[in-house]
Amino acid sequence: LVFFHTVSDGQLIAIATWLAEIAESARPRAEVLLRFHPEVHPDPKSRLASYAVGVGALARLSPWVSFCTDTQRLSAWFEENHGIDCRVVPIPHLPRAHELEGKAFRPPAADGVPVAAYVGDARADKGFTLLPALASALLARKTPVRLLVQAGGASLGPAESEAAGQLESLPEIVKV
């Protein structure tokens, strides 16, 4: 199994070309993680057509290629617009022990309090911008739950930056 993670439009086409050139009897299975909604691709010009060509070329190799994304919304978009099956494979993130040394961090559920976790990139389409309202509601209701947020991203948009600032300004927040 060969796993291709976060591929661009050009890489999709290259993967399809590479696989097609290998004899069927020796062709490996490939799992392709589609991470970007083509209409909001990091490339401002979007390259929507070439992304579609790459997905289409790989879909023709379906006995050897399967697709996944990291959100249900994105999987649904690819299934609807490209006619492909697309599994959801969430991104697992946990802090490493050495990153916690000297921090006021309690391991999840060590005191019996349930933990609700948000794990993934700080992106609006993943629900990150909803977290400040959720955290505020939990605090206001004195709900016995710990909200664990592990989020990152190379660059945050205005909505995500505002949400991160709101989260950091809440009382009882431990930043790790």
Side-chain angles (χ1 to χ4, degrees):
L1 175 67
V2 181
F3 182 67
F4 295 98
H5 185 277
T6 315
V7 292
S8 69
D9 52 340
Q11 292 167 333
L12 288 169
I13 294 167
I15 295 165
T17 302
W18 173 70
L19 286 171
E21 291 177 353
I22 298 172
E24 289 185 10
S25 61
R27 192 174 293 159
R29 288 258 319 112
E31 182 78 19
V32 179
L33 177 65
L34 304 169
R35 288 286 305 276
F36 304 112
H37 191 297
E39 293 177 349
V40 292
H41 194 276
D43 176 348
K45 300 211 185 321
S46 181
R47 301 191 306 235
L48 186 58
S50 61
Y51 207 85
V53 168
V55 171
L58 284 169
R60 292 182 54 82
L61 296 164
S62 62
W64 297 276
V65 177
S66 54
F67 299 95
C68 61
T69 72
D70 58 354
T71 67
Q72 184 59 46
R73 180 177 166 202
L74 193 54
S75 284
W77 190 93
F78 278 105
E79 288 176 351
E80 181 180 326
N81 290 282
H82 293 281
I84 60 173
D85 290 327
C86 218
R87 297 180 304 120
V88 177
V89 180
I91 303 170
H93 295 281
L94 291 174
R96 294 176 187 90
H98 73 275
E99 294 171 337
L100 301 177
E101 291 176 14
K103 308 277 182 165
F105 178 81
R106 293 171 290 182
D111 54 5
V113 175
V115 177
Y118 175 92
V119 180
D121 285 343
R123 295 190 340 230
D125 69 322
K126 293 181 74 110
F128 182 79
T129 55
L130 303 174
L131 293 176
L134 172 65
S136 294
L138 291 171
L139 286 168
R141 294 180 182 147
K142 300 187 183 337
T143 305
V145 64
R146 184 172 296 119
L147 179 61
L148 173 67
V149 177
Q150 192 291 324
S155 61
L156 302 180
E160 292 85 357
S161 293
E162 181 180 345
Q166 290 170 344
L167 283 171
E168 290 178 3
S169 69
L170 291 171
E172 301 182 38
I173 295 296
V174 177
K175 187 175 178 182
V176 178

